[in-house]
Amino acid sequence: MVFVPDASHADPSAWRIAMDASEGTLSMSTSKGPRLLHELPCFHGSFYLSPPGLLAGFTLQLPLPVYPAWLQEDEAPVLLWESVDLETGHAPNEVMGNARLRLGRRETSAALSALCTEVPVACTGRSYLKIVLETVFPSVSLRWPAEAWQRLRPVTLKLFTEIRPADPPESRWAMPEQRDR
């Protein structure tokens, strides 16, 4: 599985989610293959790493690009996607488990597959984690997205992201050296 040496995986301040390298998609299964429904604009949440650096779980909030008509006024248009107690899969760097998806008062559970791999960075000597999460869920259970649930099609939720070591405080604020002439 994944191991990043010389890093404290128990310290959440030692890591950051690289939003510039993150992307979420929602696609519908059709007879001609997957059809992209939405690109998710952003997400908020956290990933849980075990002490040796394995992906152990996550909790993510995905703001929806489209407000479902059935959602009540007091409910935010946010899809909650979470999984805990992930286990090592059969292939190297594979993680498997069960995910819970909640939208408003509707909730469903589905199988989760993930790849989590260490990417070495030669210039810094520090590695980062590349994560791909995927859940296929029955759209009718959440009544979302409308294009899929009205046709009773399964939907694939996929997220690509990177977890990078946080910059040490001194490197974030260091001033370049100035030479006197």
Side-chain angles (χ1 to χ4, degrees), residues 74-135:
D74 63 334
E75 298 171 324
V78 174
L79 180 66
L80 176 68
W81 186 21
E82 63 184 359
S83 186
V84 295
D85 299 327
L86 295 175
E87 297 178 1
T88 303
H90 304 293
N93 302 323
E94 183 182 34
V95 181
M96 302 179 82
N98 210 19
R100 182 175 76 122
L101 295 140
R102 190 176 70 206
L103 179 57
R105 293 184 177 102
R106 298 187 177 273
E107 186 174 309
T108 191
S109 190
L112 168 83
S113 63
L115 289 175
C116 181
T117 189
E118 176 186 5
V119 179
V121 180
C123 62
T124 64
R126 302 271 325 260
S127 299
Y128 66 92
L129 300 177
K130 183 120 183 124
I131 298 173
V132 179
L133 302 172
E134 183 175 284
T135 296

Side-chain angles (χ1 to χ4, degrees), residues 114-165:
L115 289 175
C116 181
T117 189
E118 176 186 5
V119 179
V121 180
C123 62
T124 64
R126 302 271 325 260
S127 299
Y128 66 92
L129 300 177
K130 183 120 183 124
I131 298 173
V132 179
L133 302 172
E134 183 175 284
T135 296
V136 178
F137 65 95
S139 56
V140 71
S141 61
L142 296 179
R143 290 187 59 204
W144 182 82
E147 301 96 322
W149 78 264
Q150 291 170 347
R151 293 180 180 92
L152 303 176
R153 304 279 174 123
V155 172
T156 301
L157 175 58
K158 190 178 275 193
L159 182 80
F160 306 91
T161 194
E162 294 176 359
I163 300 178
R164 297 182 184 162

Side-chain angles (χ1 to χ4, degrees), residues 177-181:
E177 283 187 33
Q178 295 181 1
R179 296 183 180 176
D180 294 329
R181 292 189 177 211

Side-chain angles (χ1 to χ4, degrees), residues 25-36:
T25 60
L26 197 69
S27 58
M28 175 176 69
S29 299
T30 69
S31 59
K32 297 178 182 177
R35 186 180 111 202
L36 181 68

